[in-house]
């Protein structure tokens, strides 16, 4: 419901579509990553959301800063790293195209990473490197 | 077959109500084997069915910081056996004694956790 | 088995690529200075917490009254009564066993000793005085790594401790539940109990953060208001 609201709002106020070409490092995650639905069923966990959802939401919010509350037209360009509305419109576009078959909230996460790369906040190489680093840390025994 | 369960599911609640658990076992464990400040080693007992003793402190030597309460061991309580309460001890370890590779830059870091008497011995 | 509380809840015992991606994206953003690890932690904490917990008031009282502090450290269950929590007579469930054990230990930090709480075997948490545990407290990531690499995990929460401060991890494996009594921060001289209560946020009580003047659990962050209809519009 709110999804179509923001979409309409977006096409009026923004007038541009997200770049929906695939990004190899994210394709790897989407093709090989196990989604929460599957993991929860496998381990008998009833929590509807993966534990990382809260931290991902915080990342989206903190990157959006003031644009969380200020109407989009009044957001000063450059005042936040990734304006709320831009990220949401891109997420909607990506959710109906390249990440259409990925369930929520995994597709929000892919879309967030996608937008951050397209907006030049991070690049593919460093994301791949950081993922390797984090994977090593989390899997260390 | 009777439809009434022969297992009294509320037994534990009824002895703890108004008193609290582990408070309801106070005075039932007899004389404690260790006292505050004693060095103790965590035994590596078999744990076929149920235990609350972690694997990582087994074999390590630590210091008793506090006699915390008396209670049946989790190993017994899991099977509804509350006949033999024991003393529980809070024991502090140097991190280095738990994890040999723990950084030497932080020799004072410690970890504290609890054991019932059956898991502890004089080092 | 009669011990509901003792039976470990099922957990997802593997690391997924999505979990790794979330953390990698966040850490790169931190590395690039888009926000700090601590800002992120505060934001995450805010999302879960509505106002100060009774445990926060216990801490504020202990800071103001040395006699009460002694009681809190000696007998957490007795001290809880002064902040409206009766561990013994009002357990959350009345069926079977009381679902929360009644042995609260209040771990007192000093300028050279910092406590942090975990439950490696499941996710035991002092619910009567602190409410439900946060998501991250229940993850294998936190439970497994905190006991072994506490400084690494604390720095992921934005808390860097100098080497002269001893870290003491409390692993809540039996019937004791723990909360941390942090050091009263500078800059709070002359504050009232209410003012002090506000800065003792949930994460300070678990031990992954330290209280600071100006950082409160009632902080007005922009996430709360206008964002709602848009943010939660993902469900179909």
């Amino acid at each position: 419901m709110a999804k179509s609201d923001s979409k309409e709002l977006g096409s009026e106020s923004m007038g541009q579509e997200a770049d929906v070409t695939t990004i190899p490092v994210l394709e790897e995650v989407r093709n090989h990553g196990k989604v929460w639905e599957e993991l929860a069923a496998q381990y008998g966990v009833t929590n509807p959301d993966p534990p990382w959802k809260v931290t991902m939401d915080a990342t989206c919010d903190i990157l959006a800063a003031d644009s969380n509350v200020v109407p989009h037209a009044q957001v000063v360009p450059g005042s936040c790293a990734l304006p709320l509305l831009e990220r949401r419109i891109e997420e909607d576009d990506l959710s109906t195209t390249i990440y259409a078959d990925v369930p929520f909230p995994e597709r929000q996460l892919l879309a967030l990473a996608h937008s951050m790369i397209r907006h030049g906040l991070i690049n593919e190489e460093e994301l791949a490197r950081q993922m390797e680093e984090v994977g090593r840390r989390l899997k260390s025994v | 077959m009777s439809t009434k369960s022969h297992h009294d599911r509320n037994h534990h609640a009824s002895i703890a109500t108004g008193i609290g658990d582990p408070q309801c076992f106070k005075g039932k464990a007899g004389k404690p084997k260790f006292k505050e400040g004693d060095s103790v080693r965590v035994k590596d007992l078999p744990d076929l069915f149920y235990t609350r003793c972690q694997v990582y402190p087994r074999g390590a030597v630590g210091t008793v910081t506090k006699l915390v309460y008396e209670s049946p061991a989790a190993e017994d309580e899991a099977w509804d056996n509350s006949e033999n309460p024991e003393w529980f001890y809070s024991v502090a370890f140097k991190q280095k004694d738990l994890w040999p590779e723990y950084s030497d830059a932080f020799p004072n870091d410690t970890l504290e956790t609890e054991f019932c008497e059956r898991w502890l011995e004089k080092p | 088995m009669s011990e509901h509380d003792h039976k470990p809840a099922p957990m997802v015992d593997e690391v997924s690529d999505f979990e790794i991606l979330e953390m990698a994206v966040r850490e790169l953003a931190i590395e690039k200075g888009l926000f700090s690890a601590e800002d992120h932690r505060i934001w995450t904490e805010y999302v879960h917490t509505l106002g100060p917990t009774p445990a926060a008031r216990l801490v504020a009282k202990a800071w103001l009254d040395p006699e009460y502090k002694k009681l809190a450290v000696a007998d957490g269950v007795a001290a809880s009564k002064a902040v409206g929590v009766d561990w013994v007579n009002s357990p959350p469930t009345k069926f079977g066993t009381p679902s929360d054990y009644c042995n609260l230990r209040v771990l007192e930090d000093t300028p050279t000793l910092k406590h942090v709480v975990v439950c490696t075997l499941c996710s035991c948490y002092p619910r009567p005085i602190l409410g439900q545990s946060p998501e991250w407290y229940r993850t294998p990531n936190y439970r497994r790594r905190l006991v072994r690499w506490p400084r690494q995990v604390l720095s992921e929460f934005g808390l860097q401790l100098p080497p002269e401060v001893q870290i003491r991890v409390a692993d809540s494996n039996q019937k004791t539940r723990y909360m941390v009594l942090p050091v009263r921060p500078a800059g709070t001289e002359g504050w009232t109990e209410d003012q002090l209560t506000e800065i003792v946020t949930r994460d300070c009580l678990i031990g992954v953060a330290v209280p600071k003047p100006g950082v409160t659990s009632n902080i007005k962050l922009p996430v709360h208001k206008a964002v709602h209809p848009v943010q939660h519009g993902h469900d179909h």
Side-chain angles (χ1 to χ4, degrees), chain A residues 63-100:
Chain A
L63 289 173
D66 275 2
S67 68
N68 281 319
V69 280
V70 175
H72 186 73
Q74 290 169 28
V75 173
V76 179
S79 67
C80 54
L82 187 57
L84 171 73
L85 200 56
E86 286 177 40
R87 186 186 63 74
R88 284 295 287 109
I89 289 163
E90 289 165 13
E91 184 186 331
D92 285 348
D93 288 342
L94 293 163
S95 298
T96 52
T97 53
I98 59 173
Y99 303 136

Side-chain angles (χ1 to χ4, degrees), chain C residues 11 119-122 137-145:
Chain C
M11 64 170 190
C119 169
T120 54
L121 294 177
C122 41
Y137 185 86
R138 305 174 216 159
T139 59
N141 175 31
Y142 182 77
R143 290 160 42 194
R144 206 171 270 163
R145 290 173 65 233

Side-chain angles (χ1 to χ4, degrees), chain A residues 18-19 23 26 63 81-83 86-92 94 99 108-122:
Chain A
D19 177 351
I23 296 176
L26 299 180
L63 289 173
L82 187 57
E86 286 177 40
R87 186 186 63 74
R88 284 295 287 109
I89 289 163
E90 289 165 13
E91 184 186 331
D92 285 348
L94 293 163
Y99 303 136
Q108 182 187 342
L109 175 60
L110 286 170
L112 168 67
H114 193 107
S115 293
M116 287 176 76
I117 291 171
R118 291 291 184 238
H119 284 250
L121 299 177
I122 56 177

Side-chain angles (χ1 to χ4, degrees), chain C residues 55-180:
Chain C
R57 188 161 296 277
L58 185 153
V59 168
K61 276 186 182 299
W63 282 344
L64 292 169
D65 177 354
E67 284 304 310
Y68 181 74
K69 185 197 261 188
K70 270 188 219 157
L71 173 69
V73 170
D75 187 346
V77 171
S80 296
K81 287 186 185 160
V83 295
V85 176
D86 184 342
W87 285 70
V88 171
N89 292 304
S90 37
T93 69
K94 299 264 181 190
F95 177 76
T97 66
S99 75
D100 290 291
Y101 291 118
C102 305
N103 198 55
L104 174 70
R105 268 188 76 192
V106 176
L107 305 171
E108 186 186 2
D109 284 352
T110 70
T112 55
L113 175 65
K114 178 84 206 85
H115 290 90
V116 56
V117 179
V118 68
C119 169
T120 54
L121 294 177
C122 41
S123 47
C124 297
Y125 191 74
R127 286 185 302 173
I129 199 156
L130 215 45
Q132 290 296 334
S133 59
E135 293 281 355
W136 53 259
Y137 185 86
R138 305 174 216 159
T139 59
N141 175 31
Y142 182 77
R143 290 160 42 194
R144 206 171 270 163
R145 290 173 65 233
L146 185 80
V147 285
R148 194 150 177 195
W149 296 285
R151 286 179 186 265
Q152 193 183 59
V153 174
L154 289 178
S155 70
E156 286 166 10
F157 280 100
L159 181 62
Q160 315 272 357
L161 295 169
E164 60 273 20
V165 173
Q166 175 195 146
I167 291 182
R168 175 163 293 190
V169 177
D171 183 358
S172 165
N173 69 328
Q174 302 277 358
K175 292 187 176 179
T176 295
R177 300 293 171 262
Y178 301 105
M179 60 166 272
V180 176

